[in-house]
Amino acid sequence: MDKQELQKLRDLPIEGVAERLGLHVSRHKCLCPFHDDHHASLSFSVRTNRYRCFVCGASGGSIDLVMHLLKKDFLDACRWLADANNVLILSEEQRGNSQLSTLNSQLTFDPTRYARFFEHPFLSEPARHFLFDERKLDERVIRWCRLTSWGDRKGVDWLQIPYYDREGHLIGIQNRLLSDATARSNLSKGALPRFRFPYGAQCSIYNLPVLNRLQQGEALYITEGCSDCWAMLSAGHKAIAIPSATLLKPADKALLSTLNSELSTAFHMYPDRDEPGERLFLQLQKVLPNLEHHQLPPDCKDFSEYYVLTKSEKVL
Ligand SMILES: [Zn+2]
């Protein structure tokens, strides 16, 4: 792996890496995961981009944190970080036998190479089970979203999710792990992220083509990820997904504001019942002042769960 790539991983903000690993960081501190901690002994230095525990002495940078917390070797920790942060985005197969290479995805993502996958979508048995039995999604929604599935050489099933621009051109692809728990645990301690970030740097909003169908004054729901977006569509709402407010480009913000001013679009959101969910809501509300907050019931952590619940209770 070359030095520049490693440096990119080392430069990932240490507190963000900690949060992706499930640590709850507050005021540059969190409970130390390396000893039985009750007083937030692990502290982060934004300046040096390192962590240090004043009780057990654990210390290091972003790669060390992943290695020690997930008990991975150096290379696996780098891969995990890359997958979780959209730094190196080629799969093992695509990498071939060459070294890990950084992809400036905006320059090298070639949609024409991939577009054909989505012309005749194929859903494997695990994909159908996940989408229709577990998530109770509407077949029409899955067709509209052109989801397709594939299995890699290790026998791992993936759902492949195309991102389109408003004109229907393929601009990016995201993979979601489908395989069951057994297959997952065979993969390096089960820490493979469920979602890989989209290939192609343009995918900051999912399901853009739905905007062409928005009527004057109609409601548009904003979700955090594709899964919630499919559930929202299956519930009969028009919806887009915005995974992160910080990924929104000025053009995206302008597009959303235009909807507001020209179509009087009313924006709605059911934030996930956790701190990142509420934070995303507040960030989006800065872009969309009329964004309306809906509260999920206490036993549902996201809209997908709520949808499955209401679906089995036949409320919707
Ligand atoms: Zn410690």
Side-chain angles (χ1 to χ4, degrees), residues 32 34-35 41-42 53 55-58:
C32 175
F34 304 112
H35 77 272
S41 317
L42 197 74
C53 173
V55 176
C56 71

